[in-house]
Amino acid sequence: MGYPHKSHPQETPVLSKHFGDPAARTLEGWKARGGYTALAQALTMAPTAIQDVVKASGLRGRGGAGFPTGLKWSFMKLDDGKPHYLCCNADESEPGTFKDREIMRWTPHALIEGVAIGAYAIGAETAYIYIRGEFSEPIRVMEAALAEARAAGVIGPNAMGSGKRIDIWVHKGAGAYICGEETALMNSIEGKRGNPRIKPPFPAVSGLFGQPTTINNVETLTAVPHILNNGAEWYKGMCLSSPKSTGSKLFSVCGNVARPGNYEVVLGFSFKDFLYDLCGGPPAGRKFKAIIPGGSSVPVITIEEAEQVRMDYEGFLEVGTMLGSGGVIIFDDAQSMPRQLARLARFYAHESCAQCTQCREGTAWMTRILERIVAGQGTFEDLDTIFDLSESMTGKTICVLSDSCAAPVVSGIKRFRGEFEALITGRRSSTVAVGG
Amino acid sequence: MSHGPSAPAHAHGHGGEAAPYVPVFTEGSARRRELDDLISRYPSRRAALLPALWMVQQDRGWISEDAMREVGEQLDCTAAYVKGVVTFYTMYHQHPVGRHFIQVCTTSPCLCAGADDVVKAFLEHTGCKELGLTSPDGKYTVIEVECLGACGFATPVQINEDYVECVTPEKVPGLLAALGD
Ligand SMILES: Cc1cc2nc3c(=O)[nH]c(=O)nc-3n(C[C@H](O)[C@H](O)[C@H](O)COP(=O)(O)O)c2cc1C
């Protein structure tokens, strides 16, 4: 459902079906809604059989990279005699993204069920749900649900009477966007500074505490029980365009839009219908101008491009951007793109862990240059400098935080160059009514 | 992910009679039992560092150098190591802050929604002179924070633990009144 709005008839509420319904939060309420049947079934299956179902469903990671989930799970060597770990990534700090928060607030047992199945499928007895420190309400809800599940023996030393141990713990972050990056997340659980690690070794070989580890996003894991309950074919059938993009996906919508919120649609849905019908179009009297469709780390596109797009991994790639985390940030014709992008660059500069020079210096300089342009003191050379900088910020660092700063900025300058030039030449940008 | 609060002028005052540090995790205390329970969830003691620091901050309001030393002793790491971790994460306070710690999200989606004006309203109505400074009565500290992950409910403001969503400048005086002392 389009929480906080009523569900739109064109939505396909699978994960969001019970958003806004407090009765779904309790173990009893969740069981009454069909909960934990998938876990019961999973515990009778071989882990590899679960991996196969998830592979066949086409489920791809919802945390941003879109990596096939079943394939990721199959990288875990099941009989290596080592302890395995599952980390559920609930760091959700990517600007524009606020879907995992709603999953945890409204359907904590859905996530617990997904985590338990995931842990069993990769041979892990322990899973940690890493929740960003700011999310005190989701943490409270998850802790309460976990306590209930433990007390009822759904998880713990003998999960659902299966003889299998599945411990699930919440690990609370303490304020750091970078800890959403999977290797930084593992360092953070280990009680270290959240610096990303060099790969290889990949987490499936040497991850948390040096042991084989899988990291999955909240939404990814929450989809798994539905796949086991309804079958891979059912999930694969939820597809409106590219066969490589299957299932339903939550899109968080924010910025200048009539009805911000979370909307769940089948992948391949028309972005135009999504923007105007589901989200209600622009605020009264305004027009949409630009959209960052996949969380702030992906390239910005124009509304004209957006209106042509199918909402799936391949569709967004075709217009030069990405589906990412599904955080749709909308700017209307009253917004100054230079000002907005300067603010985004400041976000990345603030969040850089500073271990790679290109990122530490690049994000900081990009911010300073953009802020100078916004202040009316920029030059045309500044734009060239930004393009130069972006080269050294892309594909050259341990993680992709610096790439993520360059992507929206460079695409923004390419698509809205007129606004930057207007600020440089001292003219007021014609496309900016206020706030410029 | 805050643009952290500044040290109040008196925080590092020398020469004053500093009260002796009272440990958080004394033998037999509830906090010690909680910490031991946490440690048992991980294969390494050090993994309980972030949770231990959270406990200190909950009890004391901030994390002093003495507290860093104590936590280090509990978890077999040096005070310097603990400080390295404390300084990495923006939610740990290295100085005392106001009783109501107000963090206004100003990242792009909230900027679109007018978060700048919300910041101004908080500064005006709390009597905090600047971002990061605590009001003279010790009641409020206001800072800007990076994305709170509630962008569809712009502007979200985190006051101590809890979020208040869809804050506009007009709502600020009522919100502050409701906080009490
Ligand atoms: C800087 C940075 C921040 C990230 N933040 C998150 C996050 O908050 N949540 C998330 O699920 N993935 C985040 N990711 C992606 C993770 O590294 C990882 O790909 C993901 O959690 C894998 O789960 P999935 O396969 O289920 O998508 C981030 C990546 C980077 C580089």
Side-chain angles (χ1 to χ4, degrees), chain A residues 101 128 136 171 191-193, chain B residues 41-42 81 84 89 161 165:
Chain A
R101 175 170 178 250
Y128 300 102
S136 34
H171 194 95
K192 298 174 179 160
R193 292 166 69 91
Chain B
R41 299 177 181 183
Y42 307 95
Y81 178 87
Y89 297 94
E161 293 257 295
E165 295 172 346

Side-chain angles (χ1 to χ4, degrees), chain A residues 242-424:
Chain A
S242 163
K244 288 185 190 156
S245 293
T246 62
S248 63
K249 166 96 187 81
L250 282 165
F251 288 88
S252 309
V253 181
C254 66
N256 305 119
V257 58
R259 288 198 295 271
N262 278 298
Y263 296 87
E264 186 173 3
V265 293
V266 169
L267 287 176
F269 197 85
S270 148
F271 203 20
K272 187 174 183 182
D273 294 348
F274 181 84
L275 293 169
Y276 293 96
D277 296 347
L278 276 63
C279 308
R286 302 248 65 97
K287 280 194 212 122
F288 287 148
K289 177 166 78 177
I291 299 187
I292 303 184
S296 63
S297 301
V298 308
V300 57
I301 55 174
T302 64
I303 182 61
E304 291 77 18
E305 288 170 304
E307 287 179 2
Q308 309 300 319
V309 172
R310 289 271 164 190
M311 300 171 75
D312 59 22
Y313 295 98
E314 291 69 32
F316 282 115
L317 271 183
E318 273 168 30
V319 292
T321 184
M322 284 183 281
L323 182 138
S325 62
V328 179
I329 310 173
I330 308 180
F331 304 101
D332 71 16
D333 55 351
Q335 299 301 326
S336 153
M337 292 312 289
R339 179 169 183 247
Q340 290 294 339
L341 294 169
R343 183 63 187 83
L344 261 193
R346 175 139 72 97
F347 168 83
Y348 289 100
H350 183 260
E351 300 304 331
S352 170
C353 83
Q355 72 176 330
C356 304
T357 312
Q358 296 92 327
C359 179
R360 182 183 65 240
E361 300 299 318
T363 55
W365 278 106
M366 200 166 254
T367 307
R368 263 181 261 179
I369 296 170
L370 285 167
E371 288 179 348
R372 178 160 84 207
I373 294 173
V374 172
Q377 279 150 15
T379 64
F380 281 98
E381 276 166 16
D382 281 341
L383 296 180
D384 297 334
T385 307
I386 290 177
F387 286 123
D388 272 0
L389 256 181
S390 78
E391 295 273 305
S392 62
M393 290 168 70
T394 306
K396 299 195 174 59
T397 45
I398 292 176
C399 86
V400 295
L401 188 140
S402 79
D403 309 54
S404 304
C405 177
V409 170
V410 166
S411 56
I413 297 176
K414 284 189 178 149
R415 286 173 169 88
F416 298 97
R417 194 173 176 108
E419 287 189 37
F420 288 85
E421 292 185 343
L423 285 168
I424 291 167

Side-chain angles (χ1 to χ4, degrees), chain A residues 60-69 72-73 87-94 97 99-100 132 176-185 196 199 214-221 297 313 324-325 348 351 399-402 404:
Chain A
R60 294 169 67 174
R62 304 301 195 217
F67 194 85
T69 307
K72 190 188 266 192
W73 290 3
C87 298
C88 171
N89 193 339
D91 194 52
E92 191 159 71
S93 313
E94 168 93 351
T97 316
K99 62 191 177 67
D100 300 340
R132 63 178 296 181
Y177 165 66
I178 191 61
C179 287
E181 195 281 334
E182 56 188 22
T183 59
L185 184 150
K199 292 189 269 194
T214 297
I215 300 97
N216 277 125
N217 170 258
V218 168
E219 187 186 356
T220 313
L221 290 167
S297 301
Y313 295 98
S325 62
Y348 289 100
E351 300 304 331
C399 86
V400 295
L401 188 140
S402 79
S404 304

Side-chain angles (χ1 to χ4, degrees), chain A residues 42-195:
Chain A
L43 291 167
T44 66
M45 295 166 70
T48 47
I50 301 172
Q51 294 176 8
D52 289 342
V53 175
V54 174
K55 264 188 209 165
S57 75
L59 174 64
R60 294 169 67 174
R62 304 301 195 217
F67 194 85
T69 307
L71 183 62
K72 190 188 266 192
W73 290 3
S74 71
F75 296 155
M76 299 287 283
K77 281 214 172 55
L78 287 172
D79 296 316
D80 57 4
K82 296 179 181 173
H84 290 186
Y85 294 102
L86 176 69
C87 298
C88 171
N89 193 339
D91 194 52
E92 191 159 71
S93 313
E94 168 93 351
T97 316
F98 49 98
K99 62 191 177 67
D100 300 340
R101 175 170 178 250
E102 298 308 334
I103 292 175
M104 293 188 282
R105 283 170 87 193
W106 296 111
T107 56
H109 286 285
L111 177 58
I112 295 171
E113 188 171 4
V115 170
I117 296 170
Y120 175 70
I122 60 159
E125 294 190 337
T126 308
Y128 300 102
I129 305 178
Y130 186 96
I131 309 182
R132 63 178 296 181
E134 292 87 347
F135 277 180
S136 34
E137 188 200 357
I139 289 173
R140 279 197 293 271
V141 175
M142 286 307 307
E143 291 278 24
L146 282 165
E148 256 192 316
R150 263 177 229 129
V154 170
I155 56 171
N158 180 17
M160 297 191 98
S162 64
K164 302 280 183 319
R165 175 181 275 277
I166 303 175
D167 286 325
I168 305 177
W169 307 110
V170 167
H171 194 95
K172 179 181 177 180
Y177 165 66
I178 191 61
C179 287
E181 195 281 334
E182 56 188 22
T183 59
L185 184 150
M186 298 188 299
N187 276 343
S188 186
I189 294 179
E190 290 181 15
K192 298 174 179 160
R193 292 166 69 91
N195 292 333

Side-chain angles (χ1 to χ4, degrees), chain B:
Chain B
M1 294 207 279
S2 57
H3 298 262
S6 336
H10 57 266
H12 295 301
H14 293 290
E17 286 290 295
Y21 177 71
V22 181
V24 175
F25 303 100
T26 41
E27 197 73 49
S29 67
R31 277 307 199 194
R32 179 66 169 272
R33 280 195 298 280
E34 239 180 293
L35 183 60
D36 287 339
D37 178 47
L38 273 163
I39 291 168
S40 73
R41 299 177 181 183
Y42 307 95
S44 101
R45 289 179 78 80
R46 194 172 285 191
L49 181 49
L50 265 61
L53 292 170
W54 274 121
M55 285 191 246
V56 171
Q57 182 151 307
Q58 240 163 29
D59 291 1
R60 303 291 157 86
W62 65 293
I63 300 170
S64 64
E65 304 236 345
D66 286 323
M68 294 180 206
R69 193 167 308 118
E70 187 198 358
V71 169
E73 280 161 11
Q74 291 296 330
L75 301 177
D76 303 335
C77 35
T78 64
Y81 178 87
V82 177
K83 188 167 190 175
V85 172
V86 169
T87 52
F88 185 87
Y89 297 94
T90 56
M91 291 183 80
Y92 293 133
H93 302 316
Q94 295 165 63
H95 315 287
V97 296
R99 292 192 291 286
H100 304 289
F101 186 65
I102 300 168
Q103 307 185 71
V104 185
C105 179
T106 59
T107 313
S108 302
C110 290
L111 189 60
C112 290
D116 276 7
D117 294 328
V118 177
V119 172
K120 276 188 210 129
F122 271 111
L123 284 178
E124 185 189 327
H125 292 285
T126 54
C128 293
K129 286 204 192 69
E130 269 176 49
L131 287 171
L133 295 186
T134 299
S135 60
D137 53 7
K139 219 168 145 182
Y140 306 110
T141 307
V142 182
I143 63 162
E144 282 185 25
V145 68
E146 293 293 352
C147 189
L148 285 175
C151 327
F153 307 89
T155 298
V157 177
Q158 182 165 24
I159 305 182
N160 295 342
E161 293 257 295
D162 296 311
Y163 280 23
V164 189
E165 295 172 346
C166 306
V167 177
T168 56
E170 299 73 47
K171 291 185 189 167
V172 168
L175 242 172
L176 290 174
L179 288 180
D181 200 45

